[in-house]
Amino acid sequence: MATNYGYIRVSSYDQNEDWQLIAMRKMEIPPKNLYVDKQSGKDFKRPQYQKMLRRLKANDLLFIKSIDRLGRNYTEILEQWRYLTKIKKIDIVVLDMPLLDTRIGKDLMGTFLSDIVLQVLSFVAENERINIRQRQAEGIAAAKAKGIRFGRPPKPLPDGFHAAYQKWKAGKITGITAAKECNMPLTTFRYRAQHYENINIS
């Protein structure tokens, strides 16, 4: 007998999956058949997805809210879709896109049209992921150009740092000695010295 399943994915633990759960409840999917992953959709190595995959059998029906909930990688979405429908022989319904319902249009034309829609939507999902990354990188670059710093502020320099730095810079003491005078590891001293020098040059 065929069984209905629902798959839900959010990108992180601080995101809310309620909107997807509400959609699944309307499909009357038993709670035990709902699988939720809270991680990136960059690949399909997700614990709940893999657990669900092991349970799926021929003629079962899988509901997802939108194609990007299945995944974000264009190539892998297509491969996974074909694996689910051709190898596992299950049906898939994408709730936000009625054309992506493998229960209907199983003739050649229907399959052709759904394949085209799937490829377009998969491409859009991946393209949006790339655009988000680019916008984030551009935003960070713009913020840095304005002098905005990211991450935790560095610890204040120890009282004797300037004197130790000057002696080390003049070749009067070694880096190891200077680091000991500042009570910090040598690598930390060199890093802070480089930063200190850049600030003073600018």
Side-chain angles (χ1 to χ4, degrees), residues 84-111:
L84 291 168
T85 57
K86 307 298 183 188
I87 307 300
K88 298 291 284 187
K89 297 187 183 303
I90 69 160
D91 280 310
I92 306 174
V93 175
V94 180
L95 297 175
D96 284 355
M97 181 55 62
L99 279 174
L100 288 178
D101 183 341
T102 61
R103 297 172 300 177
I104 57 177
K106 286 183 179 290
D107 59 359
L108 184 60
M109 181 57 71
T111 301

Side-chain angles (χ1 to χ4, degrees), residues 8 17 29 49 51 55-56 63 66 80-81 90 92 133 136 139 143 156 164 174 181 192:
I8 293 169
E17 69 271 17
I29 300 169
Y49 183 83
K51 186 176 179 181
R55 285 189 63 190
L56 289 172
F63 290 91
S66 57
Q80 198 65 202
W81 186 278
I90 69 160
I92 306 174
R133 277 174 158 180
Q136 286 174 337
T174 65
E181 288 187 11
R192 299 301 296 273

Side-chain angles (χ1 to χ4, degrees), residues 157-175 177-179 181-182 189-201:
L157 293 170
D159 292 337
F161 182 86
H162 177 74
Y165 169 81
Q166 293 294 342
K167 287 188 287 184
W168 169 72
K169 197 68 178 172
K172 295 178 180 178
I173 59 174
T174 65
T177 303
E181 288 187 11
C182 297
F189 172 78
R190 285 178 174 165
Y191 172 78
R192 299 301 296 273
Q194 181 66 47
H195 185 65
Y196 181 79
E197 184 174 339
N198 289 340
I199 291 174
N200 282 283
I201 289 173

Side-chain angles (χ1 to χ4, degrees), residues 6-9 24 35 37 46 49 52 62-64 69:
Y7 180 69
I8 293 169
R9 184 185 67 80
M24 295 299 170
Y35 292 83
D37 275 313
R46 307 173 217 142
Y49 183 83
M52 179 189 70
L62 173 62
F63 290 91
I64 55 174
R69 296 305 88 198

